[in-house]
Amino acid sequence: MCGEVSVSGGKNAAVAIIPAALLANSPCTIENLPDIEDVRVLIEMLEYLGAEITFTDGTMCVDPTKVDKYKAPYELSRRMRASYYLAPVLLGLFSRAEVPLPGGCDIGARPIDQTIKGMTTLGADVRIERGSMVVSTDGMYGAEVYLDLPSVGATVNTVLTAVTARGNTTINNAAKEPHIVDLANFLNSMGARIKGAGTDVIRVAGGRELHGSTYAVIPDQIETGTLMIAAAATGGDVLITGAIPTHMEALSAKLLEMGVYVSDDDDRIHIRSDGNLRAVNVKTQVYPGFPTDLQQPITSLLTIANGSSMVTETIYEARFKYVEELRRLGASIRVIDHTAIVEGVDRLIGAPVTATDLRAGASMIIAGLIADGVTEVSGLNYILRGYEDIDRKLRSLGAKVERVVSDRVLMY
Ligand code: EPZ
């Protein structure tokens, strides 16, 4: 592939920032939002709760002043994981909330014990009833919170709880992902006082009145990485614009190790590859380590590297289901415990494959770009949850890819 492509706004930033807008006492304008299924579901959910929303060309206007429900709709909530971010928001508005337990990709157990720990430490009573989080409080007060692990979701939920609690909260062992920083920056633009986001200690001065604001979400770190890997996989020369290179350092370093040319400045990343790739070892870690959400895409790239690579997944206990599908394309991969051993092969051969989750879908698309012949990926609905216009973006770079029927995409 050759040419220039721009990155959309960040899914995992958007799904935290949009619910947070309900805490404002006046309308918010959120820019650079991706037009993806998760954002569309959130719009339906917030409108159900009484918010008035317009969303055109990536810009959303949210008027939260008429929100009058504390129960999130079950059917909608099941369609995306981040719907449980509404629990601390509705608790802050109504001192009670009822939100279905989160759904999301089938990549492991994905418990929410740390979210419950954060909210209860600040004064919430949290019960799990009828498949929902039933939350209530007689008053929320700032406190010291110690997360047992740097959970992204628990950090988001504890920050959203702390901003409406009276007094100061310190969140220790907090997640440091870019979307945590983006949420804190958005809340601060609304009048919150949050310091330390992006480090493992976040301090919140809670109980402040939050007003509407205008804010642009950061570019999507995982879409940026997926496009970088796709460019390397096809032996291309691709300029990715509208990115934040510092968010991509773990992947850039790995691609350089593989012999891919990577250079970046300001808001763009240049990828060039001659298709000769060195085998490397990858181990997923919390940010700023190698992102678990890029584990599946880079494994597709490693299927044609020269030599044997090891990919170790340390975040989720079941994030290698897609390997079966890569084998159908001729990949040589063995999974032992939490490590995939990838023996590079000369080429992959196209075949019908299935996306088992969002990032597995990205992995299938990259493998399809590599494979000789036609690869048909079903499960496009997963992919569209997190990638805006991915087929159009890849086609604009010269890839032969098109959507067929409702839930399939074809690479040839
Ligand atoms: C967020 O999920 C992302 N989703 C995930 O991206 C991402 O993979 C993950 O963070 C890690 O970076 C959104 O932001 C909407 P975690 P989240 O809580 O918050 C365990 C994608 O493809 N854990 O950091 O659910 C948990 O089981 C998605 O965009 C507990 O044990 O991730 C998991 O093994 C997939 N107890 C690990 O920690 C808890 O209370 C990471 O979970 C919470 C988590």
Side-chain angles (χ1 to χ4, degrees):
M1 300 193 299
C2 288
E4 184 174 317
V5 66
S6 66
V7 177
S8 299
K11 164 179 94 79
N12 292 344
V15 297
I17 284 171
I18 295 168
L22 298 189
L23 293 172
N25 60 16
S26 53
C28 287
T29 299
I30 308 169
E31 298 168 340
N32 197 38
L33 285 170
D35 189 352
I36 53 177
E37 178 64 10
D38 275 12
V39 169
R40 291 284 169 182
V41 170
L42 262 179
I43 290 172
E44 286 184 59
M45 252 189 272
L46 268 57
E47 286 177 335
Y48 170 91
L49 297 170
E52 290 175 356
I53 297 185
T54 62
F55 182 44
T56 48
D57 297 336
T59 296
M60 182 184 292
C61 296
V62 182
D63 179 350
T65 53
K66 298 186 181 64
V67 170
D68 58 359
K69 296 184 187 69
Y70 67 87
K71 284 188 182 181
Y74 188 87
E75 195 29 58
L76 285 170
S77 306
R78 295 297 298 156
R79 283 165 51 188
M80 58 171 293
R81 175 162 187 78
S83 44
Y84 74 136
Y85 292 163
L86 282 168
V89 169
L90 297 174
L91 179 72
L93 293 175
F94 302 109
S95 298
R96 58 195 308 192
E98 197 163 321
V99 178
L101 287 168
C105 294
D106 179 14
I107 48 182
R110 308 187 79 181
I112 61 167
D113 53 293
Q114 296 304 301
T115 280
I116 294 170
K117 177 176 187 178
M119 295 182 75
T120 47
T121 305
L122 300 180
D125 172 66
V126 183
R127 280 174 286 118
I128 307 298
E129 286 174 9
R130 302 182 303 281
S132 292
M133 288 173 74
V134 180
V135 194
S136 61
T137 184
D138 298 329
M140 303 293 288
Y141 299 93
E144 286 277 348
V145 176
Y146 289 87
L147 295 179
D148 298 350
L149 58 101
S151 153
V152 169
T155 304
V156 168
N157 282 321
T158 306
V159 166
L160 289 172
T161 307
V163 288
T164 62
R166 276 190 291 280
N168 297 333
T169 292
T170 302
I171 306 169
N172 300 281
N173 200 20
K176 301 184 275 192
E177 272 68 9
H179 23 292
I180 302 287
V181 178
D182 215 26
L183 173 64
N185 289 341
F186 173 60
L187 288 165
N188 284 340
S189 77
M190 292 162 68
R193 286 262 305 280
I194 303 169
K195 291 187 168 54
T199 75
D200 55 5
V201 179
I202 299 176
R203 289 184 171 75
V204 182
R208 297 167 62 88
E209 182 81 14
L210 301 181
H211 53 73
S213 85
T214 294
Y215 188 81
V217 304
I218 53 172
D220 194 301
Q221 175 201 22
I222 305 306
E223 184 196 17
T224 304
T226 305
L227 291 169
M228 290 167 68
I229 293 169
T234 53
D237 185 337
V238 172
L239 184 64
I240 299 164
T241 59
I244 299 181
T246 49
H247 291 169
M248 308 314 303
E249 286 172 353
L251 173 63
S252 297
K254 208 39 80 174
L255 291 176
L256 285 165
E257 249 186 87
M258 293 179 72
V260 176
Y261 170 87
V262 184
S263 78
D264 57 56
D265 63 30
D266 193 24
D267 69 344
R268 50 198 53 212
I269 299 173
H270 187 193
I271 299 287
R272 205 170 48 232
S273 161
D274 61 5
N276 275 318
L277 303 167
R278 287 193 287 270
V280 292
N281 295 332
V282 175
K283 190 170 193 176
T284 64
Q285 297 287 355
V286 297
Y287 192 81
F290 192 93
T292 175
D293 294 347
L294 290 175
Q295 179 258 97
Q296 294 148 298
I298 202 165
T299 299
S300 287
L301 181 63
L302 291 169
T303 62
I304 54 163
N306 301 313
S308 175
S309 303
M310 288 208 309
V311 180
T312 304
E313 173 59 61
T314 69
I315 306 295
Y316 291 105
E317 66 273 22
R319 202 165 197 172
F320 283 122
K321 289 182 184 154
Y322 67 100
V323 164
E324 257 326 295
E325 297 302 305
L326 289 181
R327 287 200 190 105
R328 290 168 52 81
L329 302 173
S332 171
I333 309 178
R334 286 176 298 128
V335 176
I336 302 168
D337 295 333
H338 296 295
T339 298
I341 298 156
V342 188
E343 304 297 344
V345 295
D346 291 339
R347 63 198 194 115
L348 299 180
I349 310 291
V353 289
T354 302
T356 48
D357 62 68
L358 166 56
R359 305 305 174 184
S363 166
M364 294 305 121
I365 286 180
I366 287 168
L369 293 173
I370 293 170
D372 296 341
V374 175
T375 300
E376 184 174 289
V377 179
S378 55
L380 186 57
N381 54 311
Y382 281 115
I383 298 166
L384 297 181
R385 277 194 48 212
Y387 291 97
E388 182 182 28
D389 273 349
I390 187 70
D391 53 320
R392 180 188 57 75
K393 290 181 179 176
L394 293 173
R395 253 196 318 276
S396 74
L397 296 171
K400 293 190 176 72
V401 53
E402 62 184 62
R403 282 190 205 181
V404 290
V405 298
S406 60
D407 78 333
R408 284 181 171 75
V409 64
L410 215 59
M411 271 76 63
Y412 51 90

